[in-house]
Amino acid sequence: MKIIKYGTEEASSFIRCLLNRLAFDTPQETTVKSIISDVREKGDAAIRHYLDKFDKINLAPKNFVLTDKEWKEGANRCSNEVKKIIDITAERLEEFYQRTTYNSWFYYDKYKNLLGNRFLPLSRVLVYAPGGKATYPSSVLMGAVPAKIAGVEEVILTTPERQDGISPAVLYAALRAGVKKVYRLGGAQAIAGFSFGTETLPKVDKIVGPGNIFVATAKKLLYGVVDIDMVAGPSEVLVIFDGSASLDYVAFDMLSQLEHDEQAVALAVTNDNALATKLQQILEKNAKKAKRSKIIEKSLENAAIIVVDNILTAVEVANSVAPEHLEIMTERPMELLPYIKNAGAVFLGSQTPEAVGDYIAGPNHVLPTGGTARFFSPLGVESFLRRMSIISFSEKGLQALGGYVASFADEEGLFAHGDSVRMRLRKGGKFED
């Protein structure tokens, strides 16, 4: 892994690459577009075809959804210990998100026109839980709990079924979070099916949750047909640290991201070159001993330690990179918080590893990646609400403001717009011959 001096051309080039790390086009796009087209035209038949092709599963459309018996029997196989962990995590999510309030509001302006905003929950939401290299009951909770608190009427889960079935922990998490139905489908074909609706799959309003590159690409391509949480990329962490930090803590927090997959990114920024060298040695040593060493040894190519002149410059680097996870392990981490502008989630102090945010802290672990923390926010209650504008003009209000509307419309060449107002301003409410 690299040690880079900030302010050099190497550092500038490295950060430029990071800023463009969410590729606009991916090699998978052609394949995903074909899958989307097939599902739109052929519905369940196309989904069944791709299940057989990619997952080697022959599944009739009537069996896409789990029966209540299958669901509950699967959830009951979850150990009591894991159930307790899921219950505690769900309780902490609920405690956190119940503090979120979005209230409709109305007011009368000086002309007695009624104006306002009305907040309404989405009707039907799909939570996607991956089923590849690991199982993700935590993702079920992170997607479903804030949706239910927002008032979403129907939360659906879909997750790929593996050879040994769907994870009992995933099924129990779905029960605990208030999910209404569970489907045993994954991949781009599932995203397309729930976006358009098929003979057996309902059309949803929004799709949330992580997935592989095919799932992420499908979500990106179908945004507009359906709402999505965000365009997600590989997991990432940036750690700002000084001499007060434990280098073992820094190293293992970086490894916790690098073990996700081969594209994961881990960065550390410090104002001490000697600390950077020691951290490099600790990282490379422990990468070889890690249980997921094959993945980590590959993802280490995406890791770097950046050496800056002072800690405030480290904040400048963090704001430029806009990382998914930002850890601050300095002597006085709270003093840096006011200067942090771009990050998905900020973890303050040496006792706050990023892993607590993945599971039990309370805030969501579905976070913007690839620099999109500059304009995306973590998944939350507001992600499942929509605003409706409310407008009711009084006669006095239209008389006072209607002339401006008509003139503005004429300026834009939309003359019928202006006439629709002028008609109301004239005596009798109609044009005279």
Side-chain angles (χ1 to χ4, degrees):
M1 67 172 295
K2 302 173 283 291
I3 296 178
I4 302 172
K5 175 65 177 175
Y6 186 68
T8 64
E9 179 53 38
E10 181 185 15
S12 299
S13 176
F14 181 75
I15 291 174
R16 278 197 301 270
C17 289
L18 285 174
L19 294 177
N20 294 291
R21 58 196 182 276
L22 279 184
F24 184 77
D25 293 310
T26 65
Q28 294 80 12
E29 257 193 40
T30 300
T31 300
V32 173
K33 284 179 180 178
S34 177
I35 292 171
I36 289 172
S37 179
D38 281 351
V39 172
R40 183 177 54 207
E41 294 175 10
K42 301 172 185 175
D44 286 344
I47 292 175
R48 188 174 187 180
H49 165 72
Y50 288 113
L51 275 173
D52 182 53
K53 179 177 180 180
F54 296 133
D55 300 332
K56 309 303 178 187
I57 294 175
N58 184 8
L59 194 65
K62 66 179 182 179
N63 295 322
F64 286 173
V65 63
L66 267 67
T67 65
D68 288 344
K69 181 180 179 182
E70 290 174 317
W71 183 1
K72 289 176 182 176
E73 286 181 350
N76 285 337
R77 290 195 294 270
C78 185
S79 71
N80 289 334
E81 181 182 1
V82 173
K83 284 180 180 179
K84 181 180 179 181
I85 295 169
I86 289 171
D87 288 341
I88 292 172
T89 302
E91 288 168 8
R92 291 187 62 81
L93 282 164
E94 288 161 351
E95 179 184 3
F96 181 81
Y97 283 112
Q98 282 165 354
R99 296 172 183 269
T100 305
T101 56
Y102 285 85
N103 298 316
S104 299
W105 51 266
F106 304 89
Y107 76 98
Y108 287 97
D109 67 12
K110 66 180 181 180
Y111 304 110
K112 302 302 181 183
N113 301 319
L114 176 67
L115 305 168
N117 266 332
R118 187 180 175 199
F119 286 91
L120 296 165
L122 302 179
S123 296
R124 182 184 289 134
V125 167
L126 178 73
V127 177
Y128 186 95
K133 295 178 180 178
T135 59
Y136 296 92
S138 59
S139 292
V140 178
L141 298 175
M142 298 290 170
V145 168
K148 294 300 291 185
I149 290 174
V152 174
E153 184 177 339
E154 186 177 7
V155 180
I156 297 169
L157 170 69
T158 194
T159 186
E161 186 168 45
R162 302 181 302 179
Q163 293 300 319
D164 57 349
I166 296 174
S167 158
V170 166
L171 293 177
Y172 181 76
L175 276 178
R176 177 60 182 79
V179 169
K180 290 287 183 70
K181 293 180 182 178
V182 178
Y183 289 80
R184 46 167 62 93
L185 302 173
Q189 62 271 16
I191 300 300
F194 286 103
S195 297
F196 297 120
T198 69
E199 301 92 326
T200 62
L201 304 187
K203 178 178 173 62
V204 301
D205 300 319
K206 185 163 188 162
I207 299 174
V208 303
N212 64 19
I213 186 62
F214 293 95
V215 169
T217 302
K219 285 170 66 179
K220 181 177 76 170
L221 292 173
L222 286 163
Y223 176 59
V225 176
V226 65
D227 191 18
I228 64 171
D229 43 5
M230 60 193 71
V231 179
S235 190
E236 57 199 33
V237 68
L238 188 151
V239 184
I240 296 174
F241 73 99
D242 62 14
S244 68
S246 162
L247 294 184
D248 286 333
Y249 288 1
V250 176
F252 275 86
D253 289 1
M254 294 174 73
L255 291 172
S256 74
Q257 292 307 293
L258 294 173
E259 74 173 350
H260 272 287
D261 59 54
E262 293 83 356
Q263 284 75 47
V265 175
L267 306 174
V269 187
T270 185
N271 59 343
D272 190 316
N273 192 67
L275 290 177
T277 302
K278 290 178 182 178
L279 176 61
Q280 180 188 45
Q281 294 168 351
I282 294 170
L283 266 170
E284 292 179 349
K285 175 184 175 182
N286 285 284
K288 295 175 182 177
K289 297 189 295 184
K291 290 183 178 179
R292 293 167 71 88
S293 59
K294 288 184 179 179
I295 293 174
I296 291 173
E297 287 180 2
K298 181 66 177 176
S299 58
L300 264 177
E301 297 175 8
N302 310 320
I305 304 168
I306 300 174
V307 180
V308 295
D309 292 332
N310 58 72
I311 289 299
L312 279 180
T313 304
V315 172
E316 179 184 319
V317 174
N319 285 331
S320 296
V321 173
E324 177 187 17
H325 308 103
L326 172 61
E327 292 189 7
I328 303 179
M329 277 193 259
T330 59
E331 189 173 358
R332 292 182 291 275
M334 285 296 295
E335 291 184 2
L336 296 184
L337 183 59
Y339 302 99
I340 301 299
K341 305 300 180 185
N342 302 323
V346 181
F347 301 79
L348 297 168
S350 62
Q351 300 306 309
T352 318
E354 181 278 327
V356 301
D358 278 347
Y359 298 106
I360 210 165
N364 217 286
H365 77 198
V366 179
L367 301 167
T369 62
T372 61
R374 292 176 293 113
F375 47 84
F376 277 140
S377 301
L379 195 69
V381 170
E382 67 279 5
S383 307
F384 302 99
L385 297 173
R386 54 195 170 87
R387 283 185 298 112
M388 179 187 296
S389 298
I390 306 298
I391 305 167
S392 178
F393 261 48
S394 65
E395 182 177 356
K396 178 182 177 181
L398 190 63
Q399 291 293 327
L401 300 174
Y404 298 116
V405 176
S407 297
F408 213 147
D410 290 347
E411 175 65 25
E412 294 189 344
L414 298 174
F415 304 109
H417 279 63
D419 288 345
S420 74
V421 174
R422 279 186 285 264
M423 170 183 246
R424 289 170 168 81
L425 298 179
R426 296 188 182 190
K427 184 178 178 181
K430 62 180 181 180
F431 285 115
E432 298 177 359
D433 295 333

